């Protein structure tokens, strides 16, 4: 067993300390018919380290690699440039944890990075405050919905059909477990913006900005709808888009959440991710997760960073808890902090502007190739492309040409079975977009 450091004597010594003679005695409570007998598993023989690494590389090569294909797939996770400083900082030993540091006397550096993260997210979203991060964008939005029902004392939430389908599935799961009704607001009409007429009686209106289809929702209309029903306005906002668009806070949003992955976190295989959560000052006591604050020592001479607010049920009386989120994504939050620091306001705005220019160029070239844009209206970084052939077949054919073309929408929106969601970031070049258009023209005939 080359990867297990304990010798047979080590194992015997440990068994003796805990008062048993064999490892089997540790599992005596498990019925014999439920145990796997030694040697019964059909496992291949062990490999030495060089052969094992070669085997793992072979397995990894079966995945689609963005070094080998051009990515136009988004739908919540995006291929954006990550400055080298991000990897250099987060790989330092003192930062290699996903957990929130609880000991201020030993964690001042990490606590300060979280404080800076909170400050920048609050500013980016135009909100009063932000927490120390959540698991991901989907659970952030679900937690916001639950928070709204507690604030408004209502057991109903209204969510736009143009919110990410995965996010809506998570909302359904959270709300089902708590007996909360979820009403879906239609959004597939011309323009792909939300109809709020069915929101009456809801604790909140949940909308995405830009929405799942890339369309920039009218947040002023969303605010009016929330005011009409006496509910909260909750916005799931793309943080990169907010570097260019008017932030949700300026529309009067009560809670703003989002996915921080586009800011310095690699796409990976769909994770890890980092949830963003910000709100108005008046709701600070209802916010899930935790908040890091800045304070002074008793003599007022030195500044210190401390965990200011923790409202999970493990830390306070259960009936006072706002959430059962047990940790956060501290390392990924650090990555977004380094990203925002490295780019600054001007750099982030340039990323957003480049994405808009590239998107508009892609729309013009792909429509020339024979496709149609499904919805009108302004978009940011993403759009729905209507195709004359089955989108899944088109996707597969283009993948064979080294192009990850987008997301066929049939599984999520049957009414859009002839359509594909295409994402264009600041990384896409004119040559790549031209190649996509030429290949699409060949595939759809």
């Amino acid at each position: 067993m080359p990867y297990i450091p304990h010798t047979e004597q080590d194992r015997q010594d440990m068994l003796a300390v805990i008062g048993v003679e064999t490892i089997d005695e540790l599992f005596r409570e498990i019925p014999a018919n439920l145990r796997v007998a030694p040697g019964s598993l059909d496992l291949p023989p062990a490999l030495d380290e060089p052969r094992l690494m070669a085997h793992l590389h072979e397995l990894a090569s079966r995945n689609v690699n963005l070094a080998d294909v051009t990515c136009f797939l988004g739908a919540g996770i995006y291929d954006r440039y990550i400055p080298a400083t991000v990897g250099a900082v987060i790989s330092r030993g003192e930062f290699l944890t996903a957990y929130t540091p609880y000991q201020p006397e030993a964690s001042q550096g990490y606590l300060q990075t979280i404080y800076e993260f909170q400050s920048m997210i609050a500013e980016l979203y135009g909100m009063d405050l932000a927490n120390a991060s959540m698991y991901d964008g989907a659970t952030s939005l679900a937690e916001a919905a639950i928070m709204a029902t507690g604030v408004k004392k209502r057991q109903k939430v209204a969510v736009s059909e143009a919110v990410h389908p995965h996010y809506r599935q998570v909302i359904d799961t959270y709300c089902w477990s708590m007996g909360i009704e979820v009403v879906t607001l239609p959004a597939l009409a011309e323009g792909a913006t939300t109809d709020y007429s069915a929101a009456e009686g809801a604790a909140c209106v949940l909308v995405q900005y830009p929405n799942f289809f890339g369309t920039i929702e009218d947040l002023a209309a969303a605010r009016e709808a929330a005011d009409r029903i006496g509910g909260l306005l909750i916005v799931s906002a793309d943080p990169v888009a907010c570097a260019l668009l008017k932030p949700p806070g300026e529309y009067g949003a009560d809670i703003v959440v989002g996915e921080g992955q586009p800011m310095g976190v690699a796409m990976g295989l769909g994770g890890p991710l980092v949830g963003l959560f910000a709100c108005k000052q008046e709701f600070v006591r209802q916010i899930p997760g935790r908040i890091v604050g800045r304070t002074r020592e008793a003599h007022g001479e030195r500044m210190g960073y401390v965990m200011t607010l923790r409202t999970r049920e493990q830390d306070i009386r259960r009936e006072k808890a706002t959430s059962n989120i047990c940790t956060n994504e501290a390392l990924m939050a650090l990555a977004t902090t380094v990203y925002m620091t490295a780019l600054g306001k001007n750099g982030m705005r340039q990323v957003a502007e480049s994405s808009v220019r590239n998107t508009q160029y892609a729309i013009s070239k792909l429509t020339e190739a024979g496709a149609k844009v499904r919805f009108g209206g302004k978009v940011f970084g993403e759009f729905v492309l209507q195709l004359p052939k089955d989108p899944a077949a088109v996707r597969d054919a283009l993948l064979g040409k080294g192009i990850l073309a987008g997301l066929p929408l049939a599984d999520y929106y049957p009414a859009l079975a002839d359509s594909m969601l295409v994402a264009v970031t600041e990384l896409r070049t004119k040559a790549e977009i031209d190649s996509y258009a030429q290949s699409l023209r060949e595939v759809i005939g």
Side-chain angles (χ1 to χ4, degrees):
M1 298 182 181
Y3 305 109
I4 300 176
H6 304 119
T7 66
E8 180 60 33
Q9 187 60 51
D10 291 333
R11 289 192 283 273
Q12 292 302 321
D13 291 344
M14 288 188 285
L15 291 171
V17 168
I18 61 178
V20 296
E21 293 185 1
T22 66
I23 290 178
D24 286 341
E25 287 188 55
L26 294 176
F27 304 102
R28 59 178 175 265
E29 301 300 330
I30 301 175
N33 64 323
L34 297 181
R35 301 185 202 176
V36 176
S40 63
L41 293 178
D42 185 20
L43 296 176
L47 300 174
D48 58 29
E49 188 169 342
R51 288 177 176 79
L52 178 61
M53 291 303 298
H55 177 61
L56 293 175
H57 281 300
E58 191 278 325
L59 292 177
S61 69
R62 301 178 192 178
N63 295 319
V64 174
N65 187 335
L66 295 191
D68 300 326
V69 301
T70 305
C71 181
F72 290 89
L73 176 64
I77 299 178
Y78 300 94
D79 182 25
R80 294 196 178 277
Y81 182 71
I82 301 175
T85 50
V86 173
V89 173
I90 70 172
S91 62
R92 289 177 61 90
E94 63 265 38
F95 291 132
L96 287 178
T97 176
Y99 213 74
T100 305
Y102 288 98
Q103 296 174 273
E105 69 277 8
S107 307
Q108 281 299 292
Y110 217 142
L111 287 167
Q112 182 176 356
T113 67
I114 294 175
Y115 180 85
E116 303 297 348
F117 165 82
Q118 294 170 173
S119 302
M120 286 189 276
I121 295 302
E123 182 176 355
L124 189 60
Y125 280 160
M127 301 300 289
D128 295 331
L129 59 99
N131 73 5
S133 86
M134 306 286 282
Y135 295 134
D136 53 32
T139 52
S140 293
L141 188 57
E143 292 276 5
I146 300 302
M147 176 176 158
T149 62
V151 170
K152 291 297 181 178
K153 310 301 181 187
R154 300 177 187 174
Q155 292 294 99
K156 178 180 176 180
V157 300
V159 56
S160 168
E161 187 180 19
V163 166
H164 196 301
H166 293 168
Y167 288 28
R168 289 189 283 119
Q169 289 172 356
V170 174
I171 291 169
D172 288 343
T173 300
Y174 271 55
C175 290
W176 166 81
S177 68
M178 302 183 69
I180 298 170
E181 179 186 0
V182 179
V183 174
T184 301
L185 305 174
L188 293 186
E190 185 64 29
T193 55
T194 304
D195 177 0
Y196 299 101
S197 57
E200 202 65 42
C204 59
V205 169
L206 296 97
V207 64
Q208 189 170 341
Y209 177 75
N211 65 29
F212 181 67
F213 307 118
T215 302
I216 300 172
E217 290 272 3
D218 183 354
L219 293 190
R223 179 70 267 177
E224 290 175 5
D227 290 340
R228 174 173 55 81
I229 66 172
L232 301 185
L233 172 58
I234 300 174
V235 180
S236 178
D238 180 343
V240 175
C242 287
L244 179 62
L245 302 177
K246 185 177 177 179
E250 293 189 22
Y251 289 97
D254 296 294
I255 305 172
V256 183
V257 301
E259 173 54 60
Q261 179 275 328
M263 301 189 298
V265 179
M267 293 179 79
L269 296 174
L273 305 176
V274 51
L276 313 177
F277 196 110
C279 69
K280 292 180 176 178
Q281 178 67 38
E282 63 191 276
F283 303 123
V284 64
R285 290 291 177 179
Q286 284 79 40
I287 196 170
R290 64 287 318 269
I291 294 176
V292 170
R294 186 174 65 183
T295 186
R296 293 186 181 276
E297 65 175 12
H299 302 293
E301 296 175 358
R302 296 184 61 187
M303 195 73 71
Y305 297 90
V306 297
M307 193 74 69
T308 303
L309 184 70
R310 295 208 303 266
T311 56
R312 64 176 182 161
E313 64 180 24
Q314 290 95 329
D315 296 318
I316 63 175
R317 286 181 295 170
R318 178 167 294 183
E319 64 273 16
K320 296 290 186 180
T322 62
S323 169
N324 191 38
I325 177 172
C326 294
T327 182
N328 68 334
E329 291 289 347
L331 186 61
M332 297 301 101
L334 175 63
T336 68
T337 305
V338 178
Y339 177 93
M340 289 184 285
T341 303
L343 268 67
K345 292 182 179 180
N346 291 336
M348 289 195 61
R349 185 179 181 89
Q350 289 171 13
V351 168
E353 289 175 343
S354 295
S355 298
V356 171
R357 287 193 295 270
N358 291 347
T359 301
Q360 292 303 312
Y361 182 73
I363 288 173
S364 68
K365 300 304 290 186
L366 295 176
T367 52
E368 288 175 10
K372 296 180 181 179
V373 174
R374 181 81 188 215
F375 301 114
K378 296 180 179 179
V379 297
F380 176 88
E382 232 158 351
F383 55 94
V384 177
L385 202 63
Q386 190 175 14
L387 299 169
K389 289 188 176 180
D390 175 41
V394 172
R395 173 204 59 197
D396 294 345
L398 289 173
L399 186 57
K401 296 175 178 287
I403 298 170
L404 193 55
L407 176 71
L409 293 173
D411 290 343
Y412 303 105
Y413 298 92
L416 303 178
D418 60 352
S419 300
M420 178 185 294
L421 185 65
V422 178
V424 186
T425 70
E426 82 283 4
L427 287 181
R428 300 288 69 85
T429 65
K430 179 179 182 296
E432 289 172 338
I433 296 171
D434 289 343
S435 176
Y436 184 5
Q438 178 59 36
S439 297
L440 180 64
R441 181 181 288 108
E442 295 169 359
V443 168
I444 66 178

